[in-house]
Amino acid sequence: MVLALVTDPGTFTELPYPARQSPPDGPLAWPGYDASRARAAERTGEEESVVVGTARVEGTAAVLIAFEFGFLGGSLGQRTGDRLEAAYVHARAHRLPVVPLVATGGSRMQEGMLALSQLQRVARQSTLTREAGLAQVAVLRDPTTGGGWATLGAGADVVLALPGAQVGFAGSRVRPPDADPAAYTAEAQLAAGAADAVVPVAELRATLGLWLRLLTTPATTPADPPAALGGTTLPATGGEAVRRARAPHRPRADAYLDAYFTRRVALVGDRCGGADPDGMLCGFGERDGRAVAFAAQTGTPTRPAGYRTAARLIRLADRLGIPVLTLVDTPGAANDAEAERQGAGAAIAELFGEVAAARTPITTLVVGEGGSGGALALAAPGNTWAAPDSYFSVIAPDLAAAILKRPPEQAENTADQLRIRPQDLVALGVVRGVVDPVDRPRA
């Protein structure tokens, strides 16, 4: 059973379930329904399509919801809803994260609309659990379709999936006949920003355990700004600051995150059909035994999906009380036609709003280019620092010169006028200080 794949041996304890009495052949008197349930119970050894209980996963206690697909296709009925509600109620009462291990074809036809309405129960319980500040990490198995995907799966904070699993709202028997089956897979959902990782079975317990540990052990103080990894001297001119920030071999986000965290996991996708894994790295990392969330630009123009993913990360960290580290490094927001069609302005506005509204502390380090509002959206007001080989500007100096109708050779002078060097930013009060190449900030 799937529980054995993820739980620490001997730790699973099944929860008591409400005893629902139903009329013969269920609420719709569907002929043969009782017999079908009896055969399913005999075949699987279970009395319903889900088993719920508490267990430890790599040492972290959680409430687990395990679907048994062999029981009527893992379908949801009234008694399934009773068990799911009991799981969420127990999680809130005992302050535990929830892990749905989903394998379902959807709602149970033999119970009609009474089965479909269980999705509303699940959605309410999931929302109450989210409002209580508890994490939900879903594992998508084969298949995960219908309302189970649209509530327990896609509604979770973090979505992990098994390789090759069928994942989609439409099950295989109700799709258009010419539908591409590759679109209904775990891998396709990852590419579309609807899942965070595809995890091999052999790695599932360790991966799930790390996620649960990070989401339940927040750091108790704001994140310290990382130490500088590149140049240590300050630039003499604005032009030099730009050249150093654009140097191809300057340390980028990956290097900073690897130096800062002992281990980390990635949050991928904006849950709106997009991902920007090459332009924005988001996730949670462990530092000094505690969790810090991160959103880091990689030095490329940030795409709308990247901003939305960062906004999603900050919302989750804020709800769980986990401090956030952001790394600014972009020449600016992507400005091609496709970026506009994908809602670049709205995505940047959303991130500005999440940073402004966050109750959890956010710390920012500018590690390279800080190009205009596309960089500022990720910066923490009043708690932004700068690396020696960085700059922050209202617009890139060469673009500023073009806007001012100056010849290209005036870009250097324009850079000086804009006062974009790290030391200028400190003097202007834009950043708090410049970080040293040691684990402490330079005032």
Side-chain angles (χ1 to χ4, degrees):
M1 190 177 181
V2 66
L3 286 168
L5 296 175
V6 299
T7 61
D8 297 346
T11 64
F12 181 75
T13 301
E14 195 167 356
L15 294 177
Y17 306 119
R20 176 185 290 270
Q21 299 299 319
S22 60
D25 283 330
L28 303 186
W30 188 284
Y33 182 35
D34 283 347
S36 295
R37 286 194 292 193
R39 288 192 297 270
E42 182 178 3
R43 182 170 56 252
T44 64
E46 303 295 343
E47 295 181 355
E48 249 305 327
S49 58
V50 296
V51 176
V52 303
T54 59
R56 291 189 175 274
V57 181
E58 296 283 292
T60 301
V63 169
L64 280 84
I65 298 169
F67 277 75
E68 172 53 73
F69 188 76
F71 194 104
L72 301 182
S75 56
L76 281 73
Q78 287 182 303
R79 294 195 304 192
T80 322
D82 293 340
R83 293 185 175 207
L84 295 172
E85 184 173 67
Y88 282 104
V89 169
H90 185 88
R92 293 196 298 275
H94 296 272
R95 305 293 303 165
L96 296 175
V98 179
V99 180
L101 305 165
V102 189
T104 176
S107 300
R108 194 168 298 171
M109 290 182 297
Q110 296 92 331
E111 296 186 23
M113 280 301 299
L114 293 174
L116 188 65
S117 66
Q118 301 309 303
L119 302 180
Q120 294 173 317
R121 291 178 73 186
V122 173
R124 174 168 173 75
Q125 292 303 318
S126 177
T127 298
L128 291 173
T129 303
R130 185 177 299 111
E131 291 175 348
L134 301 171
Q136 300 172 63
V137 182
V139 176
L140 312 182
R141 298 151 56 211
D142 187 31
T144 297
T145 61
W149 164 230
T151 52
L152 291 154
D157 300 314
V158 177
V159 177
L160 310 178
L162 298 183
Q166 178 188 175
V167 180
F169 186 67
S172 58
R173 298 185 182 182
V174 298
R175 298 170 194 157
D178 59 347
D180 179 7
Y184 303 84
T185 63
E187 289 76 9
Q189 298 294 349
L190 176 64
D196 294 295
V198 173
V199 184
V201 172
E203 300 172 15
L204 183 57
R205 181 186 297 172
T207 301
L208 178 59
L210 179 55
W211 268 109
L212 291 174
R213 174 176 171 78
L214 290 173
L215 296 180
T216 57
T217 57
T220 56
T221 58
D224 294 325
L229 298 180
T232 60
T233 59
L234 293 173
T237 67
E240 182 187 349
V242 174
R243 287 190 293 273
R244 288 173 57 179
R246 292 177 177 175
H249 301 300
R250 171 184 54 78
R252 308 277 168 156
D254 269 325
Y256 273 94
L257 295 174
D258 286 344
Y260 196 78
F261 295 114
T262 54
R263 49 184 179 169
R264 55 188 169 98
V265 290
L267 197 78
V268 178
D270 62 3
R271 297 299 187 261
C272 300
D276 186 19
D278 297 326
M280 181 77 79
L281 305 180
C282 294
F284 294 83
E286 188 173 64
R287 180 171 173 83
D288 298 328
R290 292 283 177 172
V292 173
F294 63 85
Q297 292 169 317
T298 64
T300 63
T302 307
R303 305 204 63 80
Y307 291 113
R308 285 192 288 261
T309 303
R312 174 188 163 216
L313 180 280
I314 291 171
R315 279 194 300 271
L316 177 57
D318 191 51
R319 180 161 52 78
L320 300 179
I322 300 174
V324 179
L325 170 70
T326 65
L327 301 181
V328 168
D329 187 6
T330 182
N335 58 8
D336 55 88
E338 187 58 28
E340 293 298 336
R341 283 191 286 267
Q342 293 170 355
I348 295 170
E350 180 184 357
L351 181 55
F352 266 120
E354 294 301 336
V355 171
R359 297 159 298 180
T360 198
I362 301 176
T363 302
T364 299
L365 178 65
V366 185
V367 299
E369 291 195 78
S372 193
L376 188 66
L378 201 60
N383 198 25
T384 292
W385 303 77
D389 47 1
S390 69
Y391 79 85
F392 215 154
S393 178
V394 63
I395 192 169
D398 42 351
L399 298 180
I403 291 172
L404 295 171
K405 299 181 180 180
R406 295 177 176 179
E409 57 268 21
Q410 287 295 309
E412 290 269 339
N413 182 55
T414 303
D416 286 330
Q417 287 182 293
L418 288 169
R419 298 189 66 187
I420 63 176
R421 299 176 303 168
Q423 61 267 42
D424 296 327
L425 300 171
V426 174
L428 291 170
V430 175
V431 302
R432 289 183 59 181
V434 181
V435 292
D436 281 328
V438 291
D439 201 10
R440 68 175 184 273
R442 178 193 295 156

